[in-house]
Amino acid sequence: MPSRSVSVVLKALTLVALFASCATTGSISSYRSGDLIIYSGTNYNSKTISDDHCATATEKAMALLDFPGSFLLDTAALPFSISLQLVAALAQTEKAESRFDWMSYYDRERLRRGCGAARQP
């Protein structure tokens, strides 16, 4: 029987592996100024599930499986997300760096996968 410390390490590694491909970690790690970061993983999953143009059935199923974990991680990261969103809003004095800065994480992913250009607001 493994010791308690080995069990804790294995559980921690399992959680890291589960959240490594989570939509929340993807959207936070690729954050750009102007993105909505509050509940961004949950937002990404809901857009993927409702997308009939670009998302495949497999992507929709993966988003559906990822939805509860993203919701939990978004909720746990809410204090960080709110502070990051406030700091970004206060520092919004610089010009856009490229033509992709207005795009959300979801729109950049669609463009990267070749699903057509997103509409500019």
Side-chain angles (χ1 to χ4, degrees):
M1 183 169 205
S3 69
R4 182 179 169 110
S5 61
V6 172
S7 175
V8 169
V9 168
L10 288 176
K11 288 178 184 177
L13 288 174
T14 302
L15 284 174
V16 167
L18 284 174
F19 287 125
S21 63
C22 181
T24 300
T25 56
S27 59
I28 290 176
S29 66
S30 67
Y31 173 78
R32 290 187 184 181
S33 179
D35 282 356
L36 178 65
I37 198 76
I38 299 171
Y39 282 97
S40 57
T42 305
N43 186 28
Y44 180 83
N45 283 332
S46 64
K47 286 183 178 181
T48 301
I49 292 167
S50 64
D51 185 7
D52 291 330
H53 173 68
C54 185
T56 64
T58 304
E59 290 170 335
K60 288 182 179 187
M62 294 303 288
L64 195 59
L65 288 173
D66 184 50
F67 198 87
S70 288
F71 181 75
L72 290 174
L73 194 56
D74 279 334
T75 303
L78 195 57
F80 167 75
S81 301
I82 290 173
S83 61
L84 181 63
Q85 197 75 54
L86 288 173
V87 167
L90 293 174
Q92 193 71 18
T93 57
E94 297 180 17
K95 291 183 101 179
E97 295 173 7
S98 73
R99 67 183 185 99
F100 300 110
D101 281 347
W102 59 267
M103 291 183 180
S104 69
Y105 172 69
Y106 179 78
D107 291 331
R108 287 194 307 270
E109 284 296 305
R110 283 182 51 126
L111 188 63
R112 183 184 64 78
R113 292 187 296 159
C115 293
R119 286 176 267 135
Q120 188 169 5

